[in-house]
Amino acid sequence: MLDNIPYLPYAISAFIGIGLAAASGFRVFLPMFAVSLASYMGWIPMNENFAWLSGLPTLITTGIATVVEVLAYYIPYVDHLLDTLSVPLATVAGSVLFASQFADIGTFPQWALALIAGGGTAAAISSGFAGTRAASTATTGGLGNSVVATTETAGAGIMSFLAIAAPIIAAIAAVILIITVIVLGRKLWNKFRNYNSNRPSKTIEVEAVDRRQLE
């Protein structure tokens, strides 16, 4: 019965792509590993243009990269370096994973949708958590960064699973995540800005210095 619904396959592909893109906003390589594993095991189909995702070399490479990326976020200073790279890398990963779900719509619309929907979703979520980490560093001295890192890894895993197993739920969750990131990100930014403005000023009054020199 559902097969008779027009454009349903494209809608399902879009839901999967958005879910995977959202997962890329948390972690770059974990969603790619999940897609590679699922396609390698035959759980999800993969079109010819992205057959490399289902290959054993890609599976091994993304698996190693996932472990390295997850552990690196628990290392002080390294996590900040990764934050500077996370947004552009997540945008690329989200675009690629979104595009991998479409095969018959033409190259231009395929990548246009991928950049807008996939890359935009991944960039929004990645930017939000990078800001959260910055606020955590400023307010907790970095002690809360491990909590943020664990949350990100869990979010990537959950969204990857939902995108493959329940794409409609994954798409809804992605929209909720983007809204939440925007709202909470604004609040955290305001808190961070107020925290810096309330710090005691160390400015030396010029008149006082000149008066002391004259004396």
Side-chain angles (χ1 to χ4, degrees):
M1 181 177 180
L2 293 177
D3 294 338
N4 297 325
I5 300 177
Y7 306 111
L8 179 62
Y10 296 107
I12 296 298
S13 295
F15 293 151
I16 296 174
I18 291 175
L20 292 173
S24 299
F26 290 103
R27 286 288 177 269
V28 173
F29 292 106
L30 197 155
M32 297 192 73
F33 172 71
V35 170
S36 182
L37 176 62
S39 58
Y40 180 79
M41 298 298 293
W43 298 337
I44 60 173
M46 189 62 62
N47 66 66
E48 296 179 357
N49 294 331
F50 292 89
W52 56 272
L53 273 173
S54 59
L56 184 59
T58 302
L59 179 62
I60 295 174
T61 302
T62 55
I64 295 173
T66 296
V67 174
V68 172
E69 182 185 23
V70 169
L71 295 179
Y73 270 99
Y74 291 98
I75 303 175
Y77 301 107
V78 176
D79 59 344
H80 297 300
L81 176 62
L82 291 176
D83 277 339
T84 62
L85 302 173
S86 63
V87 176
L89 289 177
T91 303
V92 173
S95 300
V96 170
L97 290 176
F98 189 96
S100 69
Q101 302 305 307
F102 291 88
D104 304 323
I105 63 173
T107 301
F108 179 77
Q110 177 187 30
W111 285 104
L113 283 172
L115 289 172
I116 296 171
T121 298
I125 295 176
S126 181
S127 300
F129 272 91
T132 301
R133 191 183 308 279
S136 173
T137 301
T139 56
T140 68
L143 296 177
N145 288 5
S146 60
V147 177
V148 177
T150 302
T151 302
E152 290 173 335
T153 302
I158 293 172
M159 287 301 300
S160 297
F161 173 78
L162 287 177
I164 296 172
I168 297 178
I169 297 177
I172 295 173
V175 173
I176 294 174
L177 275 172
I178 293 174
I179 296 174
T180 303
V181 164
I182 293 174
V183 174
L184 290 182
R186 183 176 299 177
K187 290 182 179 180
L188 285 173
W189 172 251
N190 290 333
K191 182 178 179 180
F192 174 69
R193 185 174 58 183
N194 293 335
Y195 174 81
N196 285 336
S197 63
N198 291 332
R199 295 177 63 181
S201 176
K202 295 183 179 179
T203 304
I204 301 175
E205 294 184 4
V206 177
E207 293 183 0
V209 173
D210 292 340
R211 190 182 303 112
R212 181 170 299 180
Q213 289 177 351
L214 291 174
E215 294 176 353

